[in-house]
Amino acid sequence: MLSHQILKFTALSVLLGFTTVACTTTSHTAKNTAHETVDVHAVSATGIGEKIGTIQLADSAQGLKISTNLTQLPSGFHGFHIHEKGSCEPAEKDGKMGAALAAGGHFNPNQAPGHGTPNDGHLGDLPVLNVDTEGNAKTTVYAPRLKLNDIQGLAIMVHAGGDNYSDHPKPLGGGGDRIACGVI
């Protein structure tokens, strides 16, 4: 009888050991697949406007996966960046109010000397955002050098113009005004 109880106790201990290992593995996996949904709003020099969609951010083996579901944007290519501050509010620059200027410049904690591609330049430099003729941007791009944890509390920005991944002939790729913004 005593040996039967010892056998049951041993079997229960082994089962609990496997359960603990499985829970630890599951918890670890969940950390590797962090994700967040960011609301994106139209922005102007007078403030934050209506919500125009969302951006899903998720860690992946290829870097930060950025999936857009945006509407009401001008068609064509647009500069797309992570900015250094978590605000979409207008601010003053050179005596003039500008859309989402409170977000600061491109996220650049490594002090890269210039604007570039998602593989070099500022860490906040993302692939251009392509908006279809109906004003929708439903696409997925990757930022190979970023993880979601790197950009918590920052802003993600869509610019009026395209981005040539250079500081020439215009600074910061020529993206120009900020037209849509979300705080991560």
Side-chain angles (χ1 to χ4, degrees), residues 126-181:
L126 303 177
V128 293
L129 184 65
N130 189 11
V131 178
D132 69 21
T133 57
E134 302 296 318
N136 302 308
K138 297 179 190 306
T139 190
T140 297
V141 298
Y142 291 87
R145 300 180 298 154
L146 291 175
K147 294 193 179 310
L148 183 55
N149 194 47
D150 299 333
I151 59 170
Q152 288 296 318
L154 306 182
I156 189 163
M157 194 77 62
V158 178
H159 292 265
D163 188 339
N164 70 359
Y165 303 123
S166 173
D167 282 320
H168 302 285
K170 294 183 180 180
L172 301 173
D177 292 339
R178 301 163 186 205
I179 61 172
C181 179

Side-chain angles (χ1 to χ4, degrees), residues 2-14:
L2 183 61
S3 66
H4 189 267
Q5 288 176 338
I6 292 173
L7 182 60
K8 281 184 177 179
F9 179 76
T10 303
L12 181 60
S13 295
V14 170

Side-chain angles (χ1 to χ4, degrees), residues 5-93:
Q5 288 176 338
I6 292 173
L7 182 60
K8 281 184 177 179
F9 179 76
T10 303
L12 181 60
S13 295
V14 170
L15 181 60
L16 286 173
F18 284 133
T19 303
T20 302
V21 170
C23 288
T24 302
T25 303
T26 302
S27 175
H28 179 70
T29 301
K31 287 182 182 178
N32 290 338
T33 57
H35 67 279
E36 184 171 334
T37 300
V38 176
D39 289 339
V40 176
H41 294 263
V43 292
S44 71
T46 59
I48 300 171
E50 69 180 294
K51 180 179 170 182
I52 62 167
T54 60
I55 296 176
Q56 182 81 16
L57 303 168
D59 288 333
S60 78
Q62 294 82 23
L64 185 66
K65 179 180 177 182
I66 305 166
S67 301
T68 64
N69 186 11
L70 304 172
T71 62
Q72 303 175 47
L73 292 168
S75 65
F77 293 106
H78 296 273
F80 194 38
H81 308 101
I82 303 293
H83 282 249
E84 64 187 345
K85 297 177 185 167
S87 177
C88 295
E89 295 291 333
E92 189 174 324
K93 181 178 180 183

